[in-house]
Amino acid sequence: MKVYGERNSGTNYALRVIAANTDAEVLPGGASGWARHLAHRLPPSGRERVLDAWDSRFWRRNAGWKHCFIDDEIAAWIRTADIRALAVTKHPMAWLVSLERSPYHLADGRHRALRRERLPVAADSLLDIWRLKTERYVELQRAGLIALVRSEDLLVDPEEALAPAFDALCLIRTATTWTDFERSVKHDPRSQTEIRGYYASETWRESLTGDHRQAYAQLDHDLLRSLGYLDEALD
């Protein structure tokens, strides 16, 4: 079982609840422990080179970096290795606000596309990256290769949100009582209940600016509509 999704989209949470509630053996999101240990002893540029190098050689061990664009090579490996795959997506504006709040995508103060990200074309902005990856998730879901869940639904009611994915991926629930986690991931000081309330009430909208709305207006409305993200309040 592999979980894909953009940064700050709930992939770690999805991985934890799937592992706790199903029979799935969940593949790690990135490099092995020794590679991460080595990488985090280096400055950002060196760190990313180590992780890119590990992925270039060993990506089949984990079906690629969890934040990657699922290119044809990885898609073929998912089929060949019979890997059950789930992608998590998030409202593009909520995602943008979350990255601005926790900009760990930056290296040396700026965003750089990483080799292990496998983008098919150069991206002009963070929203370009969101669009490229999300279009691919939708394409692969329609082809029956992956399941797709919205981060907001996952955080508000994980059991209900994941039920269709469990059915599509033939994952077996291991207990009748759902196991959840109150403690957040990624050292977020908020509890899972606080995070759930933040997305249920769409508190992130309070941080939107005119620039955010202008960027949103440039996104593909058909893509937004297919995900339930076509948002009249932002037009």
Side-chain angles (χ1 to χ4, degrees):
M1 172 75 204
K2 177 70 177 187
V3 175
Y4 296 97
E6 251 303 348
R7 305 158 178 86
N8 285 15
S9 290
T11 53
N12 285 333
Y13 178 65
L15 187 152
R16 290 179 73 194
V17 296
I18 290 169
N21 289 284
T22 75
D23 63 337
E25 178 183 349
V26 183
L27 294 170
S32 64
W34 67 263
R36 294 198 309 274
H37 178 73
L38 172 61
H40 285 288
R41 299 177 65 182
L42 300 172
S45 58
R47 179 185 313 153
E48 300 303 348
R49 283 197 294 271
V50 167
L51 296 176
D52 277 347
W54 187 96
D55 183 81
S56 180
R57 183 171 181 181
F58 299 117
W59 66 267
R60 288 178 180 83
R61 294 184 181 180
N62 65 351
W65 190 36
K66 67 178 180 178
H67 300 317
C68 74
F69 176 89
I70 306 174
D71 62 11
D72 289 344
E73 184 176 45
I74 287 184
W77 181 246
I78 290 172
R79 292 188 185 94
T80 300
D82 195 25
I83 295 169
R84 294 172 285 184
L86 171 75
V88 185
T89 191
K90 188 176 188 176
H91 191 295
M93 294 296 99
W95 177 72
L96 201 56
V97 167
S98 69
L99 275 186
E100 290 169 353
R101 186 179 64 242
S102 303
Y104 74 96
H105 62 293
L106 298 179
D108 297 327
R110 64 185 188 276
H111 179 268
R112 286 200 298 263
L114 305 170
R115 189 169 63 185
R116 65 187 182 277
E117 202 154 8
R118 294 174 174 254
L119 293 178
V121 296
D124 294 329
S125 66
L126 287 173
L127 283 182
D128 262 354
I129 295 175
W130 180 92
R131 175 186 58 80
L132 287 165
K133 294 181 184 179
T134 304
E135 284 177 343
R136 184 62 165 168
Y137 299 154
V138 171
E139 176 189 353
L140 294 178
Q141 181 199 34
R142 290 172 176 168
L145 187 64
I146 70 170
L148 181 61
V149 65
R150 302 194 320 171
S151 177
E152 298 83 2
D153 300 333
L154 174 67
L155 292 169
V156 171
D157 191 339
E159 184 174 10
E160 181 177 346
L162 287 170
F166 286 1
D167 289 342
L169 300 174
C170 300
L171 296 178
I172 299 173
R173 286 276 300 268
T174 53
T176 55
T177 302
W178 181 263
T179 299
D180 205 348
F181 299 91
E182 178 58 24
R183 187 175 180 180
S184 182
V185 296
K186 289 254 181 187
H187 311 294
D188 193 317
R190 299 172 298 174
S191 69
Q192 200 62 37
T193 298
E194 290 172 317
I195 294 173
R196 186 172 291 121
Y198 176 86
Y199 285 102
S201 62
E202 299 187 333
T203 305
W204 52 267
R205 290 181 182 274
E206 298 173 4
S207 300
L208 296 180
T209 66
D211 287 343
H212 289 126
R213 290 179 167 83
Q214 185 175 5
Y216 175 86
Q218 303 304 312
L219 291 171
D220 182 345
H221 281 205
D222 288 338
L223 175 62
L224 295 169
R225 185 181 295 107
S226 72
L227 296 163
Y229 289 152
L230 191 58
D231 197 329
E232 293 181 1
L234 291 173
D235 282 339

